[in-house]
Amino acid sequence: MTVFKGRTKGLTDAKLSYCPGCLHGVAHRLIGESMEELGIIEKTIGIAPVGCSVFAYNFFACDVIQVPHGRAPAVATGMHRARPDRIVFTYQGDGDLAAIGTAETIHAANRSENITIFFVNNATYGMTGGQMAPTTLPGMKATTAPYGRDVSDTGFPMRLCEILSQLEMPNYIERVSLLSPKEILKAKKAVKKALQYNTDGKGLSFVEMISTCPTNWGMDPLKAREWARENMLPIFPLGVFKDRAAEEAKEKEAE
Amino acid sequence: MGKKVLMKGNEAVAEAAILAGCRHYFAYPITPQSELIEYMAKKMPLVDGTFLQAESEVAAINMVLGAAACGVRVMTSSSSPGISLKQEGISYIAASRLPAVIVNVTRGGPGLGNIAPMQCDYFQATRGGGHGDYYTPVLSPSTVQEFADMAPMAFEIAEKYLTPVMILGDGMLGQMMEPVEFPDAYPPQKDPSEWALGARRTPDDRHIINSLYIDPYVLQEKTETLFKVYEEIKKNETRFETYNMDSGAKYLIVAHGTAARVAKSAVDALKEEGVELALIRPITLWPYPYDAVAEAAKGKEKVITIELSMGQMVEDVKLAVCGECPVEFIGKAGGVVFTPEEIVSLIREKIS
Ligand SMILES: Cc1ncc(C[n+]2csc(CCOP(=O)(O)OP(=O)(O)O)c2C)c(N)n1
Ligand code: SF4
Ligand SMILES: [Mg+2]
């Protein structure tokens, strides 16, 4: 991995508490760098979820609040309504965003709140020790799916970008991956674009990052990335699902 | 004071909140608080405020959490089942030391119960309600005027002690009409820039709001600090009203909210028959006026607690009276409110 090019002012000096090789650190880094490059650290408020990234308030250099499991999009809504001049983002795992917080996610997206949601999909409940998440892959083992996820019993992995892009109002929805340096560079562009849209008041921006959980998957970090490439990317295809601001700009140009 | 207007309790508390400078309101519809959410829907846009109908009470209270964290006056309202859903958020708001106002226009329970006025959420309101070691100051109005007056009072207490505050009305107070007067001036908001998010005073003034303390010793210290605040609240904010106290009455009635209205009418009616009753009405249910109830019970033959429930506040009355004299209970479940005649005869039974 070659993305680490010195410190970013967007992150504090605190040592990250993630497992070695965990991609949460990379996701943090991309957000920190983007805040720094956009010059918005001081006017940004981050929202830490419940999950491995619960301690994100120690790491992001902006103001941060830690909130109840799954409720970050609702908290972000209240914040954005109270301080429309601030940049508000949530940072959420798949259990947080796509299980317990599904309603808050869908409705904040439907209202196209001017907030940014960073969604780190590692196909598991990392923090609580590898239970089944709504994104756990078919057949994938989890501590609460010890025989592998049986989709006829527990449903198919939920694709949040696809679900949310059915809504009329959200501005920007993209799925990126953190599995290789090249993909990380691309992810950085999406993260920065999302925060730029937020700064410009364009409405909801949503960036899903395909990640790994080497610890609970029981793999070394490199193997985990390979495994994710082979197994997650076919189910969670990368790409831009919605970019209303770009479309509108294109339409204007055509006129 | 402005001129008197005839208003429903639900509307009066909403209007008072707006006059007190509340510009952010998030809620989910539920009877019998509908007039409140509808009033806010109508009025907030006219004062450039935020009215947002949330997707659930869970979302609404978390929107409140977000707005409160940004240091604005924010309110939500609901009724019993909706308040149950808000409890997780209220616990976080209490733990995060944020000011917010929650209006609970209670109804019949448990379960879906009904939409009739009941006081059966006393335990939930006064014992924290959600998870963890915390309390929420609870104000209990007994007139529409008092319901309105409690909005600015609730914001003041919330901001002074950095705590959520609940106004515990009921379906009766919410829906009945009475004349209300609104004051011309309201307490200004306390400056939140010391702790609010998005309020840096210098470039390095990074604000964090959190309720997670992995180290048990740190959580212990934080909780002890919270309880020191509660001691201050108990000392400064305990409120009650007494009625017919100097009559030499042998009996003391304890009732709050709507039940206190009915009880007051019974005190008056029995006075005409030559029977004196003293009445104490707790205005804050937490902190509970234990000392005042104990003092009022001194030398009485009997204390009678009246509630629109199967008996919840009566436990606090017993704690206050502490065996000095018998404590009896008159109550009703289901949302059935006593008629004045009925309450008079029930009291007569207890004292004959
Ligand atoms: C209301 C509530 N329910 C359950 C939990 C326990 N819990 C903590 S983290 C977590 C799952 C987090 O998984 P995810 O959001 O995918 O984040 P990750 O740790 O994988 O990054 C759960 C269930 C909780 N803290 N609060
Ligand atoms: S448990 Fe998994 S997601 Fe959590 S820090 Fe460790 S590797 Fe990362
Ligand atoms: Mg996860």
Side-chain angles (χ1 to χ4, degrees), chain A residues 185-204:
Chain A
L185 285 177
K186 223 171 155 198
K188 165 74 183 294
K189 284 205 180 101
V191 167
K192 194 168 167 185
K193 186 165 159 187
L195 287 172
Q196 181 67 57
Y197 276 149
N198 189 326
T199 312
D200 298 342
K202 297 287 187 197
L204 187 113

Side-chain angles (χ1 to χ4, degrees), chain B residues 10 14 25-30 33-42 51-54 77:
Chain B
N10 281 334
Y25 170 87
F26 305 92
Y28 186 83
I30 185 168
Q33 65 92 51
S34 300
E35 294 84 357
L36 207 171
I37 186 171
E38 286 162 10
Y39 193 89
M40 287 298 201
K42 215 163 34 191
F51 164 83
L52 188 62
Q53 180 173 327
S77 62

Side-chain angles (χ1 to χ4, degrees), chain A residues 12 41-42 45 50 54-55 57-58 60-68 71 74-75 77-79 81-83 86 103-104 107 111 113, chain B residues 24 26 50 52 55-56 58-59 62-63 65-67 69-70 72 88 92 196-200 203 205-212 214:
Chain A
T12 64
I41 298 170
E42 285 170 29
I45 306 172
V50 175
V54 70
F55 295 111
Y57 55 85
N58 286 327
F60 291 119
C62 55
D63 284 4
V64 187
I65 184 171
Q66 195 291 310
V67 304
R71 315 300 173 213
V75 176
T77 298
M79 289 189 156
R81 301 289 178 131
R83 291 301 302 266
R86 291 294 181 261
E104 286 78 4
H107 286 273
R111 293 187 300 265
E113 297 288 341
Chain B
H24 294 85
F26 305 92
T50 295
L52 188 62
E55 57 270 28
S56 68
V58 175
N62 282 284
M63 291 171 187
L65 171 65
C70 289
V72 300
E88 179 200 39
Y92 272 73
L197 301 183
R200 288 190 189 208
D205 184 27
R206 176 170 168 264
H207 289 179
I208 300 297
I209 292 178
N210 177 34
S211 65
L212 174 69
I214 288 289

Side-chain angles (χ1 to χ4, degrees), chain B residues 218-232:
Chain B
V218 178
L219 181 57
Q220 179 185 32
E221 187 200 310
K222 290 280 172 187
T223 311
E224 283 170 1
T225 305
L226 188 60
F227 273 68
K228 279 190 192 126
V229 174
Y230 293 155
E231 283 311 311
E232 284 300 299

Side-chain angles (χ1 to χ4, degrees), chain A residues 17-25 51-53 120 122 124-130 211-217:
Chain A
S17 51
Y18 302 106
C19 306
C22 174
L23 297 177
H24 268 306
C52 281
S53 47
V120 179
N122 59 7
T124 189
Y125 282 21
M127 178 172 230
T128 38
S211 186
T212 59
C213 177
T215 302
N216 288 302
W217 293 2

Side-chain angles (χ1 to χ4, degrees), chain B residues 10-326:
Chain B
N10 281 334
E11 297 168 343
V13 70
E15 176 64 22
I18 294 174
L19 287 170
C22 173
R23 290 292 178 274
H24 294 85
Y25 170 87
F26 305 92
Y28 186 83
I30 185 168
T31 313
Q33 65 92 51
S34 300
E35 294 84 357
L36 207 171
I37 186 171
E38 286 162 10
Y39 193 89
M40 287 298 201
K42 215 163 34 191
K43 290 296 169 85
M44 274 299 190
L46 306 180
V47 293
D48 285 332
T50 295
F51 164 83
L52 188 62
Q53 180 173 327
E55 57 270 28
S56 68
E57 289 86 352
V58 175
I61 194 69
N62 282 284
M63 291 171 187
V64 168
L65 171 65
C70 289
V72 300
R73 279 195 167 160
V74 57
M75 183 166 115
T76 184
S77 62
S78 188
S79 177
S80 311
I83 296 291
S84 293
L85 284 185
K86 287 184 196 287
Q87 292 300 343
E88 179 200 39
I90 296 173
S91 167
Y92 272 73
I93 293 171
S96 307
R97 301 292 314 278
L98 294 173
V101 174
I102 301 131
V103 178
N104 183 359
V105 186
T106 60
R107 57 188 250 176
L112 196 50
N114 62 24
I115 56 171
M118 265 196 85
Q119 298 182 317
C120 52
D121 296 334
Y122 180 92
F123 285 150
Q124 186 193 50
T126 59
R127 266 57 181 173
H131 59 286
D133 243 346
Y134 78 99
Y135 289 95
T136 308
V138 182
L139 309 174
S140 167
S142 79
T143 64
V144 171
Q145 179 70 57
E146 199 178 18
F147 208 170
D149 293 343
M150 279 177 176
M153 187 195 291
F155 280 114
E156 257 195 310
I157 295 173
E159 286 158 16
K160 185 168 173 196
Y161 302 99
L162 297 177
T163 175
V165 174
M166 179 177 284
I167 305 177
L168 188 74
D170 61 50
M172 181 90 125
L173 281 164
Q175 307 214 309
M176 86 186 170
M177 285 182 115
E178 275 184 336
V180 206
E181 248 180 307
F182 295 99
D184 300 320
Y186 284 86
Q189 191 191 350
K190 225 174 147 218
D191 178 12
S193 59
E194 198 181 311
W195 51 265
L197 301 183
R200 288 190 189 208
R201 294 157 297 179
T202 62
D204 295 331
D205 184 27
R206 176 170 168 264
H207 289 179
I208 300 297
I209 292 178
N210 177 34
S211 65
L212 174 69
Y213 304 102
I214 288 289
D215 180 342
Y217 291 102
V218 178
L219 181 57
Q220 179 185 32
E221 187 200 310
K222 290 280 172 187
T223 311
E224 283 170 1
T225 305
L226 188 60
F227 273 68
K228 279 190 192 126
V229 174
Y230 293 155
E231 283 311 311
E232 284 300 299
I233 298 176
K234 284 182 189 170
K235 211 165 66 198
N236 303 330
E237 309 298 340
T238 306
R239 292 168 168 84
F240 58 91
E241 183 199 358
T242 55
Y243 188 65
N244 206 33
M245 225 32 144
D246 305 325
S247 56
K250 287 192 287 188
Y251 307 100
L252 174 71
I253 307 282
V254 192
H256 78 92
T258 290
R261 291 173 73 103
V262 189
K264 229 180 218 180
S265 73
V267 172
D268 293 342
L270 283 163
K271 197 183 193 73
E272 277 175 24
E273 293 178 20
V275 181
E276 295 292 356
L277 299 169
L279 171 79
I280 182 162
R281 174 174 75 91
I283 295 174
T284 50
L285 303 182
W286 192 92
Y288 195 77
Y290 289 109
D291 293 345
V293 172
E295 186 60 34
K298 253 189 205 148
K300 299 286 188 291
E301 280 179 22
K302 204 176 253 183
V303 174
I304 303 164
T305 307
I306 303 175
E307 293 177 72
L308 298 176
S309 73
M310 293 303 282
Q312 300 193 4
M313 184 183 74
V314 65
E315 296 195 0
D316 279 329
V317 175
K318 283 181 181 161
L319 279 175
V321 172
C322 203
E324 279 284 323
C325 65

